[in-house]
Amino acid sequence: QTVRWHIELQPWASPTPSLNYEALRFLKYISTSQISCEHTNLNSLKGYSETAKKPWSICLDERFSLIHRIRSKQCRLYSLGLGNDDNQFELSMANSGCEVHRFDPSIKSAHIQEGRHLWYHRLSIDWRDPNPAIAAHKLHSNTKKLGTVLNEFGHQKIDVLKADVESAEWKILENLILEDVVEQIGQLVFEVHIHWPGFEVSGNESTVVRYWYSLLRELEMKDFRLFHTYKDLSKPQMFLKKEAFNASSCYTLSWVNTRWK
């Protein structure tokens, strides 16, 4: 299998590159469900209270594997965060019997276990592994790619990957696609930020939006289907630093891997 270095970019949305056309195509894409999912929260499961600050929606319909893996206490959640104190979703999943791993570089110890099912790891999930030969990278020795962590933990699959990583999500998603790690994941719940291009995403504005769109189309080609979009109205309503397109700077998007039955 050849290693891919770049994702396949989609054709431009218009005959000549235009931010207007790219933005409209992208925003329409992230706000249109590709599959319907009737049960999207943990209300039906014990230990869940409706105080979660954000709707981290997962698909609990019978035709997909997650609900069955929760019932058989075999599910696994990886949660990527940056000093975020809203861990209601993680607690709910742990209370449901899921094995929950929370990765956050701001926690005090290398590994903390809370209760039977919840672990905190002082690790930042990134789109590259640090190179120990480069002095600057030594500072980031607690930074790893998701594929590396899966190998180190001996985990073959993640039922749900939740990410709230403040604009690192685009490059992390790209890494998961290029290394085929995404195929080991049953559902993705990502907060995406569109008020600026994101870390190490280069190019002019229309190029950036085309790249975002192309990444999400890659997910679709790998049989992921978007089933829930939450537009965060509490965040600044900005698109690439402009008040435009009636866009929020932040959306929470949920996909299910339809191969996982």
Side-chain angles (χ1 to χ4, degrees):
Q1 188 172 338
T2 55
V3 176
R4 294 172 67 199
W5 296 100
H6 302 287
I7 61 155
E8 199 73 37
L9 286 176
Q10 291 291 317
W12 291 100
S14 52
T16 51
S18 144
L19 175 61
N20 192 47
Y21 280 101
E22 294 304 320
L24 293 173
R25 175 173 70 171
F26 171 76
L27 291 166
K28 182 180 180 189
Y29 190 81
I30 65 169
S31 52
T32 307
S33 291
Q34 297 167 332
I35 198 168
S36 69
C37 186
E38 299 201 2
H39 306 283
T40 58
N41 63 34
L42 288 157
N43 283 355
S44 50
L45 302 170
K46 65 178 191 306
Y48 190 74
S49 62
E50 266 299 320
T51 54
K53 295 176 185 151
K54 286 208 187 85
W56 298 102
S57 294
I58 49 180
C59 188
L60 296 167
D61 285 9
E62 297 284 338
R63 61 193 161 133
F64 298 118
S65 63
L66 181 58
I67 186 64
H68 305 288
R69 292 175 65 83
I70 289 174
R71 286 183 191 137
S72 60
K73 306 282 190 262
Q74 292 183 311
C75 70
R76 180 179 293 131
L77 164 71
Y78 271 30
S79 167
L80 319 182
L82 295 170
N84 189 332
D85 58 353
D86 178 16
N87 62 352
Q88 183 66 47
F89 178 71
E90 289 77 358
L91 291 171
S92 306
M93 291 291 276
N95 288 340
S96 306
C98 287
E99 175 191 328
V100 176
H101 295 273
R102 170 93 172 154
F103 298 90
D104 186 337
S106 69
I107 64 165
K108 306 277 189 295
S109 314
H111 304 282
I112 302 170
Q113 185 173 355
E114 277 193 12
R116 280 178 56 199
H117 301 293
L118 181 58
W119 286 264
Y120 289 88
H121 307 280
R122 189 175 60 208
L123 267 176
S124 173
I125 302 297
D126 200 13
W127 55 94
R128 66 215 147 173
D129 285 325
N131 180 342
I134 300 174
H137 281 204
K138 287 201 172 83
L139 301 171
H140 303 287
S141 57
N142 62 346
T143 293
K144 290 177 178 170
K145 294 190 292 194
L146 188 67
T148 304
V149 172
L150 281 169
N151 288 337
E152 288 180 2
F153 284 22
H155 293 162
Q156 299 299 314
K157 290 188 167 183
I158 307 170
D159 292 283
V160 180
L161 176 64
K162 172 198 166 190
D164 180 3
V165 288
E166 307 301 334
S167 301
E169 66 276 356
W170 297 112
K171 292 299 284 186
I172 290 173
L173 190 57
E174 180 185 58
N175 168 254
L176 298 182
I177 290 167
L178 291 177
E179 297 192 352
D180 292 324
V181 176
V182 76
E183 287 157 22
Q184 294 171 257
I185 300 168
Q187 298 193 21
L188 292 169
V189 190
F190 267 54
E191 188 169 276
V192 301
H193 301 84
I194 59 176
H195 57 292
W196 69 294
F199 295 105
E200 292 191 22
V201 177
S202 57
N204 63 22
E205 290 177 333
S206 51
T207 302
V208 166
V209 184
R210 179 195 186 197
Y211 163 76
W212 290 344
Y213 174 72
S214 300
L215 268 179
L216 302 189
R217 287 297 306 273
E218 287 261 358
L219 277 181
E220 190 182 339
M221 284 180 247
K222 291 192 178 282
D223 294 312
F224 279 82
R225 297 292 178 266
L226 186 68
F227 65 86
H228 191 267
T229 302
Y230 169 70
K231 180 180 181 178
D232 194 338
L233 297 175
S234 69
K235 296 278 175 78
Q237 303 299 291
M238 302 288 279
F239 187 92
L240 293 177
K241 302 187 175 154
K242 292 187 273 288
E243 289 185 19
F245 307 111
N246 193 26
S248 172
S249 59
C250 179
Y251 291 78
T252 306
L253 306 177
S254 301
W255 292 268
V256 59
N257 182 344
T258 57
R259 287 185 198 174
W260 282 40
K261 298 293 189 198

mmCIF file with all atom_site columns, all heavy atoms in Angstrom, residues 7 13-14 47 93 122 177 185 258:
data_model
loop_
_atom_site.group_PDB
_atom_site.id
_atom_site.type_symbol
_atom_site.label_atom_id
_atom_site.label_alt_id
_atom_site.label_comp_id
_atom_site.label_asym_id
_atom_site.label_entity_id
_atom_site.label_seq_id
_atom_site.pdbx_PDB_ins_code
_atom_site.Cartn_x
_atom_site.Cartn_y
_atom_site.Cartn_z
_atom_site.occupancy
_atom_site.B_iso_or_equiv
_atom_site.pdbx_formal_charge
_atom_site.auth_seq_id
_atom_site.auth_comp_id
_atom_site.auth_asym_id
_atom_site.auth_atom_id
_atom_site.pdbx_PDB_model_num
ATOM 1  N N   . ILE A 1 7   ? -4.104  14.836 0.508   1.00 0.00 ? 7   ILE A N   1
ATOM 2  C CA  . ILE A 1 7   ? -5.468  14.428 0.188   1.00 0.00 ? 7   ILE A CA  1
ATOM 3  C C   . ILE A 1 7   ? -5.788  14.876 -1.240  1.00 0.00 ? 7   ILE A C   1
ATOM 4  O O   . ILE A 1 7   ? -5.141  15.763 -1.791  1.00 0.00 ? 7   ILE A O   1
ATOM 5  C CB  . ILE A 1 7   ? -6.494  15.035 1.173   1.00 0.00 ? 7   ILE A CB  1
ATOM 6  C CG1 . ILE A 1 7   ? -6.471  16.562 1.114   1.00 0.00 ? 7   ILE A CG1 1
ATOM 7  C CG2 . ILE A 1 7   ? -6.289  14.522 2.578   1.00 0.00 ? 7   ILE A CG2 1
ATOM 8  C CD1 . ILE A 1 7   ? -7.767  17.190 1.557   1.00 0.00 ? 7   ILE A CD1 1
ATOM 9  N N   . ALA A 1 13  ? -15.293 25.106 -6.763  1.00 0.00 ? 13  ALA A N   1
ATOM 10 C CA  . ALA A 1 13  ? -16.760 25.183 -6.789  1.00 0.00 ? 13  ALA A CA  1
ATOM 11 C C   . ALA A 1 13  ? -17.264 26.010 -7.966  1.00 0.00 ? 13  ALA A C   1
ATOM 12 O O   . ALA A 1 13  ? -18.448 25.962 -8.301  1.00 0.00 ? 13  ALA A O   1
ATOM 13 C CB  . ALA A 1 13  ? -17.267 25.775 -5.478  1.00 0.00 ? 13  ALA A CB  1
ATOM 14 N N   . SER A 1 14  ? -16.371 26.770 -8.577  1.00 0.00 ? 14  SER A N   1
ATOM 15 C CA  . SER A 1 14  ? -16.789 27.650 -9.686  1.00 0.00 ? 14  SER A CA  1
ATOM 16 C C   . SER A 1 14  ? -15.680 27.669 -10.734 1.00 0.00 ? 14  SER A C   1
ATOM 17 O O   . SER A 1 14  ? -14.549 27.272 -10.448 1.00 0.00 ? 14  SER A O   1
ATOM 18 C CB  . SER A 1 14  ? -17.040 29.065 -9.149  1.00 0.00 ? 14  SER A CB  1
ATOM 19 O OG  . SER A 1 14  ? -15.917 29.512 -8.405  1.00 0.00 ? 14  SER A OG  1
ATOM 20 N N   . GLY A 1 47  ? -27.414 7.229  34.092  1.00 0.00 ? 47  GLY A N   1
ATOM 21 C CA  . GLY A 1 47  ? -26.328 8.102  34.534  1.00 0.00 ? 47  GLY A CA  1
ATOM 22 C C   . GLY A 1 47  ? -26.145 9.346  33.710  1.00 0.00 ? 47  GLY A C   1
ATOM 23 O O   . GLY A 1 47  ? -25.155 10.043 33.843  1.00 0.00 ? 47  GLY A O   1
ATOM 24 N N   . MET A 1 93  ? -20.488 8.557  29.050  1.00 0.00 ? 93  MET A N   1
ATOM 25 C CA  . MET A 1 93  ? -20.066 7.355  28.330  1.00 0.00 ? 93  MET A CA  1
ATOM 26 C C   . MET A 1 93  ? -19.424 6.355  29.290  1.00 0.00 ? 93  MET A C   1
ATOM 27 O O   . MET A 1 93  ? -19.644 5.145  29.194  1.00 0.00 ? 93  MET A O   1
ATOM 28 C CB  . MET A 1 93  ? -19.097 7.724  27.201  1.00 0.00 ? 93  MET A CB  1
ATOM 29 C CG  . MET A 1 93  ? -19.740 8.494  26.058  1.00 0.00 ? 93  MET A CG  1
ATOM 30 S SD  . MET A 1 93  ? -20.908 7.514  25.074  1.00 0.00 ? 93  MET A SD  1
ATOM 31 C CE  . MET A 1 93  ? -19.800 6.692  23.926  1.00 0.00 ? 93  MET A CE  1
ATOM 32 N N   . ARG A 1 122 ? -1.921  12.668 29.975  1.00 0.00 ? 122 ARG A N   1
ATOM 33 C CA  . ARG A 1 122 ? -1.307  13.963 29.666  1.00 0.00 ? 122 ARG A CA  1
ATOM 34 C C   . ARG A 1 122 ? -0.591  13.841 28.313  1.00 0.00 ? 122 ARG A C   1
ATOM 35 O O   . ARG A 1 122 ? 0.623   13.759 28.225  1.00 0.00 ? 122 ARG A O   1
ATOM 36 C CB  . ARG A 1 122 ? -0.329  14.361 30.771  1.00 0.00 ? 122 ARG A CB  1
ATOM 37 C CG  . ARG A 1 122 ? 0.172   15.815 30.613  1.00 0.00 ? 122 ARG A CG  1
ATOM 38 C CD  . ARG A 1 122 ? 1.041   16.236 31.756  1.00 0.00 ? 122 ARG A CD  1
ATOM 39 N NE  . ARG A 1 122 ? 2.212   15.379 31.860  1.00 0.00 ? 122 ARG A NE  1
ATOM 40 C CZ  . ARG A 1 122 ? 2.848   15.130 33.000  1.00 0.00 ? 122 ARG A CZ  1
ATOM 41 N NH1 . ARG A 1 122 ? 2.426   15.642 34.137  1.00 0.00 ? 122 ARG A NH1 1
ATOM 42 N NH2 . ARG A 1 122 ? 3.921   14.345 33.008  1.00 0.00 ? 122 ARG A NH2 1
ATOM 43 N N   . ILE A 1 177 ? -6.908  10.523 7.834   1.00 0.00 ? 177 ILE A N   1
ATOM 44 C CA  . ILE A 1 177 ? -7.297  10.076 6.491   1.00 0.00 ? 177 ILE A CA  1
ATOM 45 C C   . ILE A 1 177 ? -6.081  9.530  5.743   1.00 0.00 ? 177 ILE A C   1
ATOM 46 O O   . ILE A 1 177 ? -6.117  8.430  5.183   1.00 0.00 ? 177 ILE A O   1
ATOM 47 C CB  . ILE A 1 177 ? -7.956  11.230 5.715   1.00 0.00 ? 177 ILE A CB  1
ATOM 48 C CG1 . ILE A 1 177 ? -9.333  11.550 6.320   1.00 0.00 ? 177 ILE A CG1 1
ATOM 49 C CG2 . ILE A 1 177 ? -8.077  10.899 4.232   1.00 0.00 ? 177 ILE A CG2 1
ATOM 50 C CD1 . ILE A 1 177 ? -9.930  12.866 5.849   1.00 0.00 ? 177 ILE A CD1 1
ATOM 51 N N   . ILE A 1 185 ? -12.172 3.805  13.186  1.00 0.00 ? 185 ILE A N   1
ATOM 52 C CA  . ILE A 1 185 ? -13.054 4.616  14.031  1.00 0.00 ? 185 ILE A CA  1
ATOM 53 C C   . ILE A 1 185 ? -14.500 4.434  13.592  1.00 0.00 ? 185 ILE A C   1
ATOM 54 O O   . ILE A 1 185 ? -14.809 4.460  12.404  1.00 0.00 ? 185 ILE A O   1
ATOM 55 C CB  . ILE A 1 185 ? -12.647 6.107  13.926  1.00 0.00 ? 185 ILE A CB  1
ATOM 56 C CG1 . ILE A 1 185 ? -11.193 6.286  14.394  1.00 0.00 ? 185 ILE A CG1 1
ATOM 57 C CG2 . ILE A 1 185 ? -13.590 6.994  14.737  1.00 0.00 ? 185 ILE A CG2 1
ATOM 58 C CD1 . ILE A 1 185 ? -10.606 7.640  14.066  1.00 0.00 ? 185 ILE A CD1 1
ATOM 59 N N   . THR A 1 258 ? -20.413 4.046  8.115   1.00 0.00 ? 258 THR A N   1
ATOM 60 C CA  . THR A 1 258 ? -21.497 3.141  7.763   1.00 0.00 ? 258 THR A CA  1
ATOM 61 C C   . THR A 1 258 ? -21.007 1.713  7.488   1.00 0.00 ? 258 THR A C   1
ATOM 62 O O   . THR A 1 258 ? -21.803 0.808  7.325   1.00 0.00 ? 258 THR A O   1
ATOM 63 C CB  . THR A 1 258 ? -22.282 3.671  6.536   1.00 0.00 ? 258 THR A CB  1
ATOM 64 O OG1 . THR A 1 258 ? -21.364 3.843  5.447   1.00 0.00 ? 258 THR A OG1 1
ATOM 65 C CG2 . THR A 1 258 ? -22.960 4.989  6.850   1.00 0.00 ? 258 THR A CG2 1
#
